[in-house]
Amino acid sequence: MPYLEHVPPAPDTVDAVLIRMRALDLALPARDGVAVFNRVYLAVTEAVDRHIDGGRFPDTRAATALDVRFAERYLDAVDAAEDGRRPPACWRPLFHFRRHPGVRPLQFAMAGINAHIGHDLALAVVDACRALGCEPADLEDEFDRVGDLLVSLEERVREELMPGPDLLQIADPLTHLLGSWSLERARDATWAAARALWALRRLPDIAEEFTGRLDAAVGFAGRMMLTPLGRPAGISMPQPRVDS
Protein backbone atom coordinates (compact mmCIF):
# COMPACT_ATOMS: atom_id res chain seq x y z
CA MET A 1 0.00 0.00 0.00
CA PRO A 2 1.42 3.43 -0.85
CA TYR A 3 2.51 5.27 2.26
CA LEU A 4 1.18 8.54 0.83
CA GLU A 5 -1.38 9.03 -1.93
CA HIS A 6 0.49 12.08 -3.16
CA VAL A 7 4.21 12.54 -2.56
CA PRO A 8 4.75 16.03 -1.11
CA PRO A 9 7.45 18.40 -2.30
CA ALA A 10 10.97 17.86 -1.01
CA PRO A 11 11.17 18.99 2.62
CA ASP A 12 12.98 22.23 3.39
CA THR A 13 12.64 22.22 7.18
CA VAL A 14 13.20 19.66 9.92
CA ASP A 15 9.48 19.82 10.74
CA ALA A 16 8.64 18.85 7.13
CA VAL A 17 11.06 15.92 7.38
CA LEU A 18 9.40 14.78 10.62
CA ILE A 19 5.95 14.94 9.03
CA ARG A 20 7.04 12.60 6.26
CA MET A 21 8.75 10.16 8.61
CA ARG A 22 5.74 10.05 10.92
CA ALA A 23 3.49 9.38 7.92
CA LEU A 24 5.71 6.44 7.04
CA ASP A 25 5.61 5.19 10.62
CA LEU A 26 1.81 5.19 10.58
CA ALA A 27 1.45 3.61 7.15
CA LEU A 28 4.02 0.80 7.14
CA PRO A 29 3.54 -2.56 8.91
CA ALA A 30 5.59 -2.63 12.11
CA ARG A 31 7.70 -5.64 11.01
CA ASP A 32 8.51 -4.14 7.59
CA GLY A 33 12.28 -3.60 7.37
CA VAL A 34 11.91 -0.02 6.14
CA ALA A 35 9.54 0.68 9.03
CA VAL A 36 12.11 -0.65 11.52
CA PHE A 37 14.78 1.68 10.17
CA ASN A 38 12.33 4.57 9.88
CA ARG A 39 11.55 4.37 13.60
CA VAL A 40 15.25 4.53 14.38
CA TYR A 41 15.82 7.47 12.05
CA LEU A 42 12.73 9.26 13.31
CA ALA A 43 14.18 9.10 16.82
CA VAL A 44 17.46 10.61 15.56
CA THR A 45 15.69 13.41 13.69
CA GLU A 46 13.51 14.26 16.68
CA ALA A 47 16.65 14.46 18.82
CA VAL A 48 18.37 16.71 16.26
CA ASP A 49 15.27 18.93 16.19
CA ARG A 50 15.32 19.25 19.98
CA HIS A 51 19.03 20.11 19.93
CA ILE A 52 18.50 22.74 17.23
CA ASP A 53 15.60 24.29 19.15
CA GLY A 54 17.67 24.19 22.34
CA GLY A 55 20.58 26.05 20.74
CA ARG A 56 22.96 23.11 21.13
CA PHE A 57 24.38 23.46 17.62
CA PRO A 58 26.95 26.23 17.02
CA ASP A 59 25.28 27.21 13.73
CA THR A 60 21.54 26.54 13.61
CA ARG A 61 21.26 27.31 9.89
CA ALA A 62 24.07 24.91 9.03
CA ALA A 63 22.67 22.16 11.27
CA THR A 64 19.24 22.51 9.69
CA ALA A 65 20.64 22.44 6.16
CA LEU A 66 22.71 19.33 6.86
CA ASP A 67 19.86 17.51 8.62
CA VAL A 68 17.34 18.26 5.85
CA ARG A 69 19.69 17.39 2.98
CA PHE A 70 20.59 14.18 4.83
CA ALA A 71 16.96 13.18 5.28
CA GLU A 72 16.13 14.00 1.65
CA ARG A 73 18.48 11.24 0.50
CA TYR A 74 16.59 8.62 2.50
CA LEU A 75 13.15 9.94 1.56
CA ASP A 76 14.13 10.04 -2.11
CA ALA A 77 15.09 6.37 -1.88
CA VAL A 78 11.71 5.57 -0.31
CA ASP A 79 9.93 7.49 -3.07
CA ALA A 80 11.92 5.67 -5.76
CA ALA A 81 10.99 2.26 -4.36
CA GLU A 82 7.36 3.33 -3.97
CA ASP A 83 7.21 4.51 -7.60
CA GLY A 84 8.82 1.36 -8.98
CA ARG A 85 12.12 3.09 -9.73
CA ARG A 86 15.53 1.81 -8.65
CA PRO A 87 16.80 3.42 -5.43
CA PRO A 88 20.54 3.87 -4.94
CA ALA A 89 22.50 0.63 -4.64
CA CYS A 90 23.12 1.23 -0.94
CA TRP A 91 19.36 1.07 -0.25
CA ARG A 92 18.40 -1.81 -2.54
CA PRO A 93 19.17 -4.64 -0.07
CA LEU A 94 16.86 -3.14 2.56
CA PHE A 95 14.00 -2.71 0.10
CA HIS A 96 14.59 -6.18 -1.35
CA PHE A 97 14.65 -8.00 2.01
CA ARG A 98 12.23 -5.74 3.90
CA ARG A 99 9.63 -8.52 4.31
CA HIS A 100 11.95 -11.52 4.57
CA PRO A 101 10.91 -13.59 7.62
CA GLY A 102 14.48 -14.72 8.26
CA VAL A 103 15.90 -11.22 8.70
CA ARG A 104 15.70 -9.84 12.23
CA PRO A 105 14.74 -6.29 13.22
CA LEU A 106 18.28 -5.43 14.34
CA GLN A 107 19.57 -6.35 10.88
CA PHE A 108 17.03 -4.04 9.22
CA ALA A 109 17.93 -1.18 11.53
CA MET A 110 21.68 -1.58 11.05
CA ALA A 111 21.42 -2.03 7.26
CA GLY A 112 19.49 1.24 7.04
CA ILE A 113 22.03 3.01 9.23
CA ASN A 114 24.81 1.61 7.05
CA ALA A 115 23.19 2.93 3.84
CA HIS A 116 22.37 6.32 5.29
CA ILE A 117 25.70 6.95 6.99
CA GLY A 118 27.98 5.20 4.55
CA HIS A 119 26.58 6.83 1.42
CA ASP A 120 23.92 9.48 2.02
CA LEU A 121 25.72 11.50 4.66
CA ALA A 122 28.75 12.21 2.47
CA LEU A 123 26.51 13.47 -0.33
CA ALA A 124 24.43 15.47 2.14
CA VAL A 125 27.54 17.32 3.34
CA VAL A 126 28.28 18.32 -0.27
CA ASP A 127 24.62 19.27 -0.84
CA ALA A 128 24.61 21.45 2.28
CA CYS A 129 27.90 23.11 1.34
CA ARG A 130 26.50 24.04 -2.05
CA ALA A 131 23.29 25.37 -0.52
CA LEU A 132 25.12 27.42 2.12
CA GLY A 133 28.08 28.49 -0.01
CA CYS A 134 30.59 27.08 2.47
CA GLU A 135 33.33 24.43 2.74
CA PRO A 136 33.01 21.02 4.45
CA ALA A 137 35.27 22.26 7.25
CA ASP A 138 32.60 24.85 8.09
CA LEU A 139 30.14 22.01 8.80
CA GLU A 140 32.47 19.81 10.82
CA ASP A 141 31.00 20.75 14.20
CA GLU A 142 27.46 20.03 12.99
CA PHE A 143 28.62 16.79 11.36
CA ASP A 144 30.25 15.65 14.62
CA ARG A 145 27.22 16.50 16.76
CA VAL A 146 24.82 14.65 14.47
CA GLY A 147 27.26 11.74 14.42
CA ASP A 148 27.38 11.66 18.22
CA LEU A 149 23.58 11.38 18.33
CA LEU A 150 23.71 8.53 15.83
CA VAL A 151 26.36 6.65 17.81
CA SER A 152 24.36 6.92 21.04
CA LEU A 153 21.21 5.73 19.28
CA GLU A 154 23.04 2.85 17.61
CA GLU A 155 24.16 1.64 21.03
CA ARG A 156 20.58 1.76 22.30
CA VAL A 157 19.22 -0.02 19.24
CA ARG A 158 21.75 -2.83 19.64
CA GLU A 159 20.82 -3.20 23.31
CA GLU A 160 17.07 -3.27 22.65
CA LEU A 161 17.00 -5.50 19.57
CA MET A 162 19.77 -7.96 20.41
CA PRO A 163 18.49 -11.12 22.12
CA GLY A 164 19.40 -11.38 25.79
CA PRO A 165 22.37 -13.26 27.33
CA ASP A 166 20.33 -16.44 27.71
CA LEU A 167 20.05 -16.56 23.91
CA LEU A 168 23.73 -15.85 23.29
CA GLN A 169 24.41 -19.19 21.63
CA ILE A 170 21.39 -18.81 19.34
CA ALA A 171 22.25 -15.19 18.60
CA ASP A 172 25.94 -15.84 17.91
CA PRO A 173 25.58 -15.57 14.09
CA LEU A 174 23.90 -12.19 14.53
CA THR A 175 26.59 -11.05 16.96
CA HIS A 176 29.29 -12.06 14.51
CA LEU A 177 27.53 -10.56 11.49
CA LEU A 178 26.92 -7.10 12.94
CA GLY A 179 29.95 -7.00 15.21
CA SER A 180 32.20 -6.43 12.21
CA TRP A 181 30.56 -3.08 11.41
CA SER A 182 31.19 0.11 13.37
CA LEU A 183 29.22 3.33 13.03
CA GLU A 184 32.17 5.35 14.30
CA ARG A 185 34.46 3.93 11.62
CA ALA A 186 31.75 4.46 9.01
CA ARG A 187 31.35 8.08 10.14
CA ASP A 188 35.10 8.70 9.82
CA ALA A 189 35.10 7.20 6.33
CA THR A 190 32.08 9.31 5.39
CA TRP A 191 33.80 12.53 6.41
CA ALA A 192 36.80 11.60 4.25
CA ALA A 193 34.44 10.78 1.35
CA ALA A 194 32.63 14.11 1.73
CA ARG A 195 35.90 16.03 1.60
CA ALA A 196 37.02 14.03 -1.44
CA LEU A 197 33.75 14.68 -3.26
CA TRP A 198 34.01 18.37 -2.51
CA ALA A 199 37.55 18.44 -3.88
CA LEU A 200 36.29 16.64 -7.01
CA ARG A 201 33.34 18.96 -7.62
CA ARG A 202 35.04 20.52 -10.67
CA LEU A 203 35.80 17.08 -12.08
CA PRO A 204 32.26 15.76 -12.57
CA ASP A 205 33.22 12.54 -14.37
CA ILE A 206 35.59 11.47 -11.60
CA ALA A 207 33.15 12.60 -8.90
CA GLU A 208 30.38 10.53 -10.51
CA GLU A 209 32.61 7.46 -10.66
CA PHE A 210 33.67 7.95 -7.03
CA THR A 211 30.04 8.30 -5.93
CA GLY A 212 29.01 5.20 -7.86
CA ARG A 213 31.73 3.09 -6.33
CA LEU A 214 30.88 4.37 -2.86
CA ASP A 215 27.22 3.53 -3.43
CA ALA A 216 28.06 0.01 -4.64
CA ALA A 217 30.45 -0.70 -1.75
CA VAL A 218 27.95 0.41 0.87
CA GLY A 219 25.24 -1.63 -0.84
CA PHE A 220 27.45 -4.73 -0.75
CA ALA A 221 27.98 -4.28 3.01
CA GLY A 222 24.23 -3.85 3.47
CA ARG A 223 23.54 -7.07 1.60
CA MET A 224 25.86 -8.95 3.95
CA MET A 225 24.19 -7.39 6.99
CA LEU A 226 20.82 -8.67 5.78
CA THR A 227 21.89 -12.32 5.47
CA PRO A 228 18.78 -14.26 6.59
CA LEU A 229 19.44 -15.90 9.95
CA GLY A 230 15.97 -17.00 10.91
CA ARG A 231 14.10 -16.16 14.08
CA PRO A 232 14.99 -18.07 17.26
CA ALA A 233 12.23 -20.63 17.92
CA GLY A 234 9.59 -19.39 20.32
CA ILE A 235 11.15 -15.95 20.59
CA SER A 236 9.21 -12.78 19.79
CA MET A 237 11.68 -10.21 18.53
CA PRO A 238 11.23 -6.73 20.09
CA GLN A 239 10.90 -3.45 18.21
CA PRO A 240 13.05 -0.41 19.06
CA ARG A 241 11.54 2.20 21.35
CA VAL A 242 11.79 5.74 20.03
CA ASP A 243 10.11 7.64 22.83
CA SER A 244 13.23 9.37 24.15
Side-chain angles (χ1 to χ4, degrees), residues 54 113 126 182 217 219:
I113 292 172
V126 174
S182 162

Tab-separated table of all heavy atoms in Angstrom, residues 54 113 126 182 217 219:
chain	number	residue	atom	x	y	z
A	54	GLY	N	17.035	23.850	21.059
A	54	GLY	CA	17.673	24.190	22.338
A	54	GLY	C	18.985	24.933	22.198
A	54	GLY	O	19.658	25.193	23.194
A	113	ILE	N	21.010	2.089	8.717
A	113	ILE	CA	22.027	3.013	9.227
A	113	ILE	C	23.268	2.963	8.341
A	113	ILE	O	23.865	3.998	8.017
A	113	ILE	CB	22.374	2.659	10.690
A	113	ILE	CG1	21.176	2.957	11.601
A	113	ILE	CG2	23.595	3.447	11.168
A	113	ILE	CD1	21.351	2.462	13.028
A	126	VAL	N	28.028	17.559	0.970
A	126	VAL	CA	28.280	18.324	-0.266
A	126	VAL	C	27.057	19.141	-0.646
A	126	VAL	O	27.168	20.321	-1.013
A	126	VAL	CB	28.680	17.365	-1.402
A	126	VAL	CG1	28.801	18.117	-2.727
A	126	VAL	CG2	29.993	16.663	-1.074
A	182	SER	N	31.127	-0.922	12.343
A	182	SER	CA	31.189	0.115	13.370
A	182	SER	C	30.688	1.430	12.803
A	182	SER	O	31.179	1.893	11.765
A	182	SER	CB	32.631	0.280	13.862
A	182	SER	OG	32.810	1.510	14.540
A	217	ALA	N	29.770	-0.099	-2.901
A	217	ALA	CA	30.454	-0.705	-1.753
A	217	ALA	C	29.561	-0.730	-0.524
A	217	ALA	O	29.501	-1.742	0.206
A	217	ALA	CB	31.749	0.057	-1.454
A	219	GLY	N	26.304	-0.673	-0.561
A	219	GLY	CA	25.243	-1.632	-0.842
A	219	GLY	C	25.688	-3.063	-0.614
A	219	GLY	O	24.922	-3.896	-0.108
